[in-house]
Short mmCIF file of all heavy atoms in Angstrom, two decimals:
data_model
loop_
_atom_site.label_atom_id
_atom_site.label_comp_id
_atom_site.label_asym_id
_atom_site.label_seq_id
_atom_site.Cartn_x
_atom_site.Cartn_y
_atom_site.Cartn_z
N ILE A 1 -0.52 13.87 -13.12
CA ILE A 1 0.05 14.12 -11.79
C ILE A 1 -0.33 12.93 -10.93
O ILE A 1 -1.50 12.69 -10.63
CB ILE A 1 -0.49 15.44 -11.19
CG1 ILE A 1 -0.21 16.60 -12.14
CG2 ILE A 1 0.16 15.69 -9.83
CD1 ILE A 1 -0.83 17.90 -11.73
N ASP A 2 0.67 12.20 -10.53
CA ASP A 2 0.48 10.90 -9.88
C ASP A 2 1.01 10.96 -8.45
O ASP A 2 2.20 11.18 -8.23
CB ASP A 2 1.23 9.84 -10.68
CG ASP A 2 1.02 8.43 -10.14
OD1 ASP A 2 0.17 8.28 -9.24
OD2 ASP A 2 1.70 7.51 -10.62
N VAL A 3 0.11 10.78 -7.46
CA VAL A 3 0.54 10.80 -6.05
C VAL A 3 0.48 9.41 -5.44
O VAL A 3 0.50 9.25 -4.23
CB VAL A 3 -0.33 11.79 -5.23
CG1 VAL A 3 -0.13 13.21 -5.72
CG2 VAL A 3 -1.80 11.41 -5.27
N GLN A 4 0.43 8.39 -6.29
CA GLN A 4 0.47 7.02 -5.78
C GLN A 4 1.87 6.72 -5.25
O GLN A 4 2.87 7.18 -5.79
CB GLN A 4 0.14 6.03 -6.90
CG GLN A 4 -1.24 6.23 -7.49
CD GLN A 4 -1.47 5.33 -8.69
OE1 GLN A 4 -2.22 4.37 -8.59
NE2 GLN A 4 -0.83 5.61 -9.80
N ASP A 5 1.91 5.92 -4.20
CA ASP A 5 3.19 5.52 -3.63
C ASP A 5 3.45 4.06 -3.96
O ASP A 5 2.59 3.36 -4.51
CB ASP A 5 3.17 5.74 -2.11
CG ASP A 5 4.56 6.01 -1.57
OD1 ASP A 5 5.53 5.86 -2.32
OD2 ASP A 5 4.66 6.38 -0.38
N LYS A 6 4.61 3.59 -3.61
CA LYS A 6 4.97 2.21 -3.88
C LYS A 6 4.33 1.29 -2.84
O LYS A 6 3.97 1.71 -1.75
CB LYS A 6 6.49 2.04 -3.84
CG LYS A 6 7.23 2.82 -4.93
CD LYS A 6 8.72 2.61 -4.80
CE LYS A 6 9.48 3.39 -5.87
NZ LYS A 6 10.95 3.20 -5.76
N LEU A 7 4.21 0.01 -3.21
CA LEU A 7 3.73 -0.98 -2.25
C LEU A 7 4.75 -1.13 -1.12
O LEU A 7 5.95 -1.02 -1.32
CB LEU A 7 3.54 -2.33 -2.94
CG LEU A 7 2.39 -2.42 -3.95
CD1 LEU A 7 2.43 -3.74 -4.70
CD2 LEU A 7 1.04 -2.25 -3.26
N LYS A 8 4.24 -1.37 0.09
CA LYS A 8 5.10 -1.46 1.26
C LYS A 8 5.67 -2.87 1.41
O LYS A 8 5.06 -3.86 0.99
CB LYS A 8 4.32 -1.09 2.53
CG LYS A 8 3.86 0.35 2.57
CD LYS A 8 3.12 0.63 3.87
CE LYS A 8 2.62 2.07 3.93
NZ LYS A 8 3.74 3.02 4.01
N GLY A 9 6.83 -2.96 2.05
CA GLY A 9 7.40 -4.25 2.41
C GLY A 9 6.84 -4.72 3.73
O GLY A 9 5.99 -4.06 4.35
N GLN A 10 7.30 -5.88 4.19
CA GLN A 10 6.77 -6.45 5.43
C GLN A 10 6.88 -5.49 6.61
O GLN A 10 5.98 -5.40 7.44
CB GLN A 10 7.52 -7.74 5.76
CG GLN A 10 7.16 -8.91 4.87
CD GLN A 10 7.80 -10.20 5.33
OE1 GLN A 10 8.23 -10.29 6.48
NE2 GLN A 10 7.86 -11.19 4.46
N LYS A 11 7.99 -4.77 6.70
CA LYS A 11 8.21 -3.90 7.85
C LYS A 11 7.23 -2.73 7.87
O LYS A 11 7.03 -2.12 8.92
CB LYS A 11 9.64 -3.37 7.83
CG LYS A 11 10.68 -4.46 8.05
CD LYS A 11 12.09 -3.88 8.09
CE LYS A 11 13.11 -4.97 8.34
NZ LYS A 11 14.50 -4.44 8.36
N GLY A 12 6.64 -2.42 6.73
CA GLY A 12 5.70 -1.30 6.68
C GLY A 12 4.27 -1.69 6.91
O GLY A 12 3.37 -0.85 6.90
N LEU A 13 4.02 -2.99 7.12
CA LEU A 13 2.64 -3.48 7.30
C LEU A 13 2.43 -3.85 8.76
O LEU A 13 2.39 -5.03 9.13
CB LEU A 13 2.39 -4.67 6.38
CG LEU A 13 2.59 -4.40 4.87
CD1 LEU A 13 2.47 -5.68 4.07
CD2 LEU A 13 1.59 -3.36 4.39
N ASN A 14 2.26 -2.83 9.58
CA ASN A 14 2.21 -3.04 11.03
C ASN A 14 0.85 -2.76 11.65
O ASN A 14 0.71 -2.79 12.87
CB ASN A 14 3.25 -2.16 11.72
CG ASN A 14 4.66 -2.47 11.24
OD1 ASN A 14 5.04 -3.63 11.13
ND2 ASN A 14 5.44 -1.43 10.94
N SER A 15 -0.15 -2.47 10.83
CA SER A 15 -1.47 -2.18 11.38
C SER A 15 -2.53 -2.63 10.39
O SER A 15 -2.26 -2.85 9.20
CB SER A 15 -1.63 -0.67 11.64
OG SER A 15 -1.67 0.06 10.43
N ALA A 16 -3.76 -2.77 10.91
CA ALA A 16 -4.88 -3.18 10.06
C ALA A 16 -5.10 -2.18 8.94
O ALA A 16 -5.38 -2.55 7.79
CB ALA A 16 -6.15 -3.33 10.90
N PHE A 17 -4.96 -0.88 9.25
CA PHE A 17 -5.17 0.15 8.24
C PHE A 17 -4.13 0.02 7.12
O PHE A 17 -4.46 0.12 5.93
CB PHE A 17 -5.07 1.53 8.89
CG PHE A 17 -5.25 2.67 7.92
CD1 PHE A 17 -6.50 2.99 7.43
CD2 PHE A 17 -4.15 3.41 7.49
CE1 PHE A 17 -6.66 4.03 6.53
CE2 PHE A 17 -4.31 4.44 6.60
CZ PHE A 17 -5.56 4.75 6.11
N GLU A 18 -2.86 -0.21 7.47
CA GLU A 18 -1.81 -0.34 6.46
C GLU A 18 -2.04 -1.57 5.58
O GLU A 18 -1.77 -1.55 4.38
CB GLU A 18 -0.45 -0.40 7.14
CG GLU A 18 -0.02 0.93 7.76
CD GLU A 18 1.21 0.80 8.63
OE1 GLU A 18 1.50 -0.35 9.07
OE2 GLU A 18 1.88 1.82 8.87
N ILE A 19 -2.53 -2.66 6.19
CA ILE A 19 -2.81 -3.86 5.41
C ILE A 19 -3.96 -3.62 4.43
O ILE A 19 -3.89 -4.03 3.26
CB ILE A 19 -3.13 -5.04 6.36
CG1 ILE A 19 -1.87 -5.42 7.14
CG2 ILE A 19 -3.66 -6.24 5.57
CD1 ILE A 19 -2.11 -6.44 8.23
N VAL A 20 -5.03 -2.96 4.90
CA VAL A 20 -6.15 -2.63 3.99
C VAL A 20 -5.66 -1.75 2.86
O VAL A 20 -6.01 -1.96 1.68
CB VAL A 20 -7.29 -1.94 4.78
CG1 VAL A 20 -8.33 -1.39 3.81
CG2 VAL A 20 -7.94 -2.92 5.74
N MET A 21 -4.84 -0.76 3.17
CA MET A 21 -4.29 0.12 2.14
C MET A 21 -3.48 -0.67 1.12
O MET A 21 -3.55 -0.43 -0.09
CB MET A 21 -3.41 1.19 2.77
CG MET A 21 -4.16 2.38 3.31
SD MET A 21 -5.05 3.25 2.01
CE MET A 21 -3.72 3.62 0.87
N GLN A 22 -2.70 -1.63 1.59
CA GLN A 22 -1.88 -2.45 0.69
C GLN A 22 -2.76 -3.25 -0.26
O GLN A 22 -2.50 -3.32 -1.47
CB GLN A 22 -0.99 -3.38 1.51
CG GLN A 22 -0.01 -4.20 0.70
CD GLN A 22 1.30 -3.48 0.48
OE1 GLN A 22 1.36 -2.25 0.54
NE2 GLN A 22 2.35 -4.25 0.23
N ILE A 23 -3.83 -3.84 0.29
CA ILE A 23 -4.73 -4.65 -0.54
C ILE A 23 -5.41 -3.78 -1.59
O ILE A 23 -5.50 -4.14 -2.77
CB ILE A 23 -5.78 -5.36 0.34
CG1 ILE A 23 -5.08 -6.38 1.26
CG2 ILE A 23 -6.84 -6.03 -0.51
CD1 ILE A 23 -5.99 -6.98 2.32
N VAL A 24 -5.90 -2.61 -1.16
CA VAL A 24 -6.56 -1.70 -2.09
C VAL A 24 -5.60 -1.25 -3.18
O VAL A 24 -5.99 -0.97 -4.32
CB VAL A 24 -7.12 -0.48 -1.32
CG1 VAL A 24 -7.63 0.59 -2.27
CG2 VAL A 24 -8.25 -0.92 -0.39
N SER A 25 -4.31 -1.20 -2.87
CA SER A 25 -3.31 -0.65 -3.79
C SER A 25 -2.83 -1.66 -4.83
O SER A 25 -2.16 -1.27 -5.79
CB SER A 25 -2.11 -0.13 -3.01
OG SER A 25 -2.49 0.88 -2.10
N PHE A 26 -3.14 -2.95 -4.67
CA PHE A 26 -2.63 -3.94 -5.61
C PHE A 26 -2.96 -3.57 -7.05
O PHE A 26 -2.09 -3.56 -7.93
CB PHE A 26 -3.22 -5.32 -5.29
CG PHE A 26 -2.65 -5.95 -4.05
CD1 PHE A 26 -3.37 -6.92 -3.35
CD2 PHE A 26 -1.40 -5.58 -3.57
CE1 PHE A 26 -2.86 -7.50 -2.21
CE2 PHE A 26 -0.88 -6.17 -2.41
CZ PHE A 26 -1.62 -7.12 -1.73
N GLN A 27 -4.24 -3.28 -7.32
CA GLN A 27 -4.66 -2.98 -8.68
C GLN A 27 -4.04 -1.68 -9.18
O GLN A 27 -3.71 -1.55 -10.35
CB GLN A 27 -6.20 -2.88 -8.74
CG GLN A 27 -6.76 -2.50 -10.10
CD GLN A 27 -6.49 -3.55 -11.16
OE1 GLN A 27 -6.40 -4.74 -10.84
NE2 GLN A 27 -6.33 -3.14 -12.40
N MET A 28 -3.84 -0.74 -8.25
CA MET A 28 -3.30 0.56 -8.65
C MET A 28 -1.93 0.41 -9.31
O MET A 28 -1.61 1.06 -10.30
CB MET A 28 -3.17 1.48 -7.43
CG MET A 28 -4.45 1.82 -6.74
SD MET A 28 -4.14 2.95 -5.34
CE MET A 28 -5.74 2.97 -4.55
N TYR A 29 -1.10 -0.47 -8.73
CA TYR A 29 0.28 -0.55 -9.19
C TYR A 29 0.49 -1.59 -10.28
O TYR A 29 1.56 -1.65 -10.88
CB TYR A 29 1.19 -0.84 -7.99
CG TYR A 29 1.02 0.21 -6.92
CD1 TYR A 29 0.50 -0.10 -5.67
CD2 TYR A 29 1.33 1.54 -7.19
CE1 TYR A 29 0.31 0.87 -4.71
CE2 TYR A 29 1.14 2.52 -6.23
CZ TYR A 29 0.62 2.18 -4.99
OH TYR A 29 0.42 3.15 -4.05
#
């Protein structure tokens, strides 16, 4: 059961929290 989401594009990276989440998610995907 996988609740991982896809990496966001530029328009979805609008806050420090979203950027940290994106970095943490690199290895996941």
Side-chain angles (χ1 to χ4, degrees):
I1 304 173
D2 184 8
V3 296
Q4 300 174 107
D5 208 351
K6 296 179 180 179
L7 291 172
K8 295 181 181 293
Q10 287 187 18
K11 293 182 179 180
L13 301 174
N14 300 315
S15 69
F17 179 75
E18 290 170 339
I19 293 172
V20 170
M21 277 298 304
Q22 185 89 336
I23 295 171
V24 172
S25 301
F26 288 156
Q27 177 65 31
M28 298 181 189
Y29 303 115

